[in-house]
């Protein structure tokens, strides 16, 4: 459990929360405070069924041929351990992934068998996130959608060319994107348990730009009805082809998450995202503020008259604050910044982009 739980940390697509931070549970088992689709946090056992792999991904600690300890669970063994942890109130959910082992189809069958035992023998009705392996069969994807609330397959790279630079054993279209299309169709069918699907990009491993990643994510949200994309900054791993490749800055990962929220929650289009000349996002300025700086004619907006879309474009205002503004001004005017701060104490950052009853917020001028 220690080995296969720690190896699972490289997959971020279980919606792990940074608040509270992940922690190691008793006996060195990895337990994560994951965020479920309804927003609730739940302690989740995140583990690989098998850490051996036949693929040659240049960034991966589990790549074929790397000298690292290997082990795997039998489905009955992992199911029993999970049931023991669940009954001891250590965990309330399961995130199950795996290396590809010696054969993709057999490994996928073993993953499905693990969840089936948990469901049938141990009568677990809680949340399960089941990873789909590249090259899995349609029947396996369908069965996964019947027994897990969330399923996912990781793209890792934003396109065929970039994935080919990282792996000679994965085909972007036939092994991954086709499976994602299957997942998208199955998730949309009301008769299945799975209600959402996610993916993950490795940031900075294949010389891809932020523009490429954001374009791919926007397409997945539009055409594949993706629930959520996750971004994992590249960190070099010893004894891999990219061990001397520089790590990606954490701020780059952070900026991509900010763009992701703009696409999912703020009604931004991909065409609205402000990239630098090199195709990357500014590391000095968040993308929403950068957009506002490039569109000064859009500001200031009247807080008592602007529609939802206009308010969502204001730096410092999020969807919840915008909703509170709309509800409040239906009853009374918002006359000052202090009125706005009653709706959200952190909304002061929006002041320079707003008018309150036709007036801008007065600013004290420094005499120094």
């Amino acid at each position: 459990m220690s080995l296969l739980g720690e190896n699972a940390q490289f997959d971020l697509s279980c919606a792990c929360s940074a608040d509270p931070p992940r922690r190691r549970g008793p006996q060195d088992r990895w337990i994560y405070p994951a965020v479920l689709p309804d927003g609730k946090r739940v302690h989740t056992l995140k583990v690989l069924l098998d850490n051996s792999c036949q693929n040659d991904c240049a960034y991966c600690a589990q790549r074929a041929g790397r000298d690292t300890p290997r082990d795997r669970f039998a489905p009955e063994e992992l199911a029993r351990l999970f049931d023991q942890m669940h009954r001891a109130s250590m965990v309330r959910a399961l995130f199950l992934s795996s290396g590809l082992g010696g054969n993709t189809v057999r490994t996928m069958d073993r993953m499905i068998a693990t969840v089936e035992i948990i469901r049938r023998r141990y009568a677990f009705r809680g949340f399960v996130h089941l990873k789909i392996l590249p090259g899995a069969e349609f029947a396996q994807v369908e069965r996964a959608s019947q027994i897990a609330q969330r399923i996912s397959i990781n793209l890792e790279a934003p396109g065929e060319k970039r994935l080919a630079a990282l792996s000679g054993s994965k085909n972007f279209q036939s092994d991954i994107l086709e499976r994602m299309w299957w997942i998208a169709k199955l998730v949309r069918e009301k008769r299945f348990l799975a209600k959402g699907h996610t993916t993950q990009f490795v940031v900075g491993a294949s010389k891809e730009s932020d523009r490429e990643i954001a374009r791919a994510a926007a397409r997945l949200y539009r055409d594949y009805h993706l629930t959520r994309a996750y971004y994992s900054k590249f960190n070099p791993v010893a004894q891999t082809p990219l061990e001397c490749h520089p790590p990606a800055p954490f701020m780059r990962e952070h900026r991509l998450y900010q763009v992701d929220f703009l696409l999912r929650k703020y009604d931004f289009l991909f065409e609205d995202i402000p990239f630098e000349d090199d195709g990357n996002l500014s590391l000095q300025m968040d993308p929403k503020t950068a957009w506002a700086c490039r569109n000064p004619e859009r500001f200031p907006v009247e807080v008592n008259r602007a529609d939802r879309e206009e308010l969502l474009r204001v730096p410092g205002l999020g969807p919840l604050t915008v909703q509170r503004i709309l509800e409040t001004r239906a009853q009374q005017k918002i006359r000052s910044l202090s009125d706005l701060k009653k709706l959200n104490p952190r909304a002061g950052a929006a002041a320079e982009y707003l008018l309150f009853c036709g007036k801008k917020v007065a600013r004290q001028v420094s005499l120094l």
Side-chain angles (χ1 to χ4, degrees):
M1 181 66 82
S2 175
L3 175 66
L4 297 178
E6 185 163 358
N7 289 167
Q9 68 178 295
F10 297 104
D11 195 326
L12 300 184
S13 55
C14 68
C16 292
S17 169
D19 181 22
R22 80 179 187 204
R23 63 180 178 85
R24 286 198 180 198
Q27 301 180 29
D28 211 27
R29 296 163 183 165
W30 286 88
I31 298 174
Y32 289 72
V35 181
L36 300 187
D38 60 5
K40 295 179 180 178
R41 290 189 179 95
V42 60
H43 286 153
T44 300
L45 174 63
K46 182 181 177 189
V47 66
L48 299 182
L49 186 70
D50 186 338
N51 73 341
S52 63
C53 193
Q54 63 187 9
N55 281 342
D56 61 350
C57 300
Y59 57 86
C60 183
Q62 315 312 325
R63 73 188 305 268
R66 183 170 182 266
D67 183 15
T68 186
R70 307 285 184 175
D71 211 337
R72 69 180 185 180
F73 283 110
E76 296 83 358
E77 181 183 23
L78 181 55
R80 182 176 63 252
L81 283 169
F82 175 78
D83 180 65
Q84 292 170 351
M85 296 176 73
H86 179 248
R87 292 180 186 279
S89 298
M90 296 167 61
V91 295
R92 297 294 183 190
L94 173 67
F95 176 93
L96 181 59
S97 186
S98 183
L100 270 66
N103 180 280
T104 298
V105 174
R106 285 200 297 269
T107 303
M108 195 75 234
D109 276 341
R110 293 169 58 240
M111 294 172 67
I112 291 171
T114 303
V115 179
E116 289 178 333
I117 294 169
I118 290 170
R119 296 294 196 201
R120 294 176 177 175
R121 185 181 304 172
Y122 298 114
F124 178 69
R125 297 292 178 263
F127 185 82
V128 173
H129 183 148
L130 184 57
K131 184 66 64 176
I132 302 298
L133 302 181
E137 296 180 341
F138 178 80
Q140 294 175 319
V141 177
E142 184 176 41
R143 182 57 182 153
S145 70
Q146 294 169 346
I147 60 177
Q149 284 90 343
R150 177 162 288 178
I151 53 179
S152 61
I153 187 167
N154 288 347
L155 284 182
E156 309 293 12
E160 189 169 3
K161 177 182 176 181
R162 298 303 184 186
L163 184 64
L166 297 177
S167 174
S169 54
K170 287 181 182 177
N171 184 286
F172 186 82
Q173 294 292 334
S174 62
D175 289 340
I176 302 177
L177 207 60
E178 183 179 28
R179 271 70 187 170
M180 182 173 283
W181 182 247
W182 295 348
I183 293 170
K185 291 176 64 176
L186 291 167
V187 164
R188 296 186 72 188
E189 295 188 28
K190 303 296 184 182
R191 59 193 177 96
F192 293 119
L193 183 61
K195 302 304 179 187
H197 69 113
T198 65
T199 195
Q200 175 178 280
F201 294 97
V202 177
V203 179
S206 63
K207 299 182 180 180
E208 78 292 331
S209 67
D210 294 338
R211 178 184 280 115
E212 290 176 74
I213 295 176
R215 181 186 291 113
R219 180 193 173 198
L220 294 177
Y221 286 127
R222 183 188 68 237
D223 298 340
Y224 291 74
H225 307 283
L226 190 73
T227 304
R228 182 85 185 269
Y230 292 87
Y231 307 90
S232 175
K233 82 179 197 69
F234 168 77
N235 287 308
V237 175
Q239 301 175 36
T240 66
L242 296 181
E243 64 180 346
C244 296
H245 192 80
F250 172 76
M251 186 54 69
R252 185 179 175 195
E253 176 188 304
H254 182 62
R255 292 292 186 235
L256 283 167
Y257 272 114
Q258 290 177 319
V259 165
D260 197 80
F261 271 84
L262 295 182
L263 294 173
R264 292 189 299 114
K265 302 292 187 180
Y266 291 80
D267 298 337
F268 273 65
L269 301 176
F270 168 74
E271 292 74 17
D272 297 327
I273 305 302
F275 297 100
E276 303 287 286
D277 292 340
D278 63 357
N280 290 319
L281 297 161
S282 170
L283 299 182
Q284 288 70 46
M285 182 181 294
D286 74 84
K288 194 178 182 186
T289 301
W291 181 88
C293 290
R294 294 187 183 188
N295 295 273
E297 73 283 356
R298 300 283 294 267
F299 303 100
V301 299
E302 172 56 58
V303 71
N304 291 290
R305 291 198 304 269
D307 61 26
R308 181 180 181 276
E309 181 180 358
E310 291 174 313
L311 291 172
L312 281 174
R313 298 283 171 144
V314 174
L317 297 185
L320 182 58
T321 302
V322 167
Q323 185 59 36
R324 289 172 178 170
I325 289 172
L326 296 175
E327 292 172 355
T328 299
R329 74 187 196 187
Q331 306 297 324
Q332 60 187 37
K333 288 187 176 182
I334 301 172
R335 299 183 178 278
S336 65
L337 181 58
S338 61
D339 287 345
L340 181 61
K341 287 184 175 180
K342 292 176 183 178
L343 305 179
N344 184 343
R346 296 182 294 179
E352 65 179 288
Y353 302 97
L354 296 172
L355 296 175
F356 297 88
C357 297
K359 298 180 180 180
K360 295 200 70 173
V361 174
R363 292 189 174 274
Q364 186 174 17
V365 179
S366 173
L367 299 179
L368 298 179

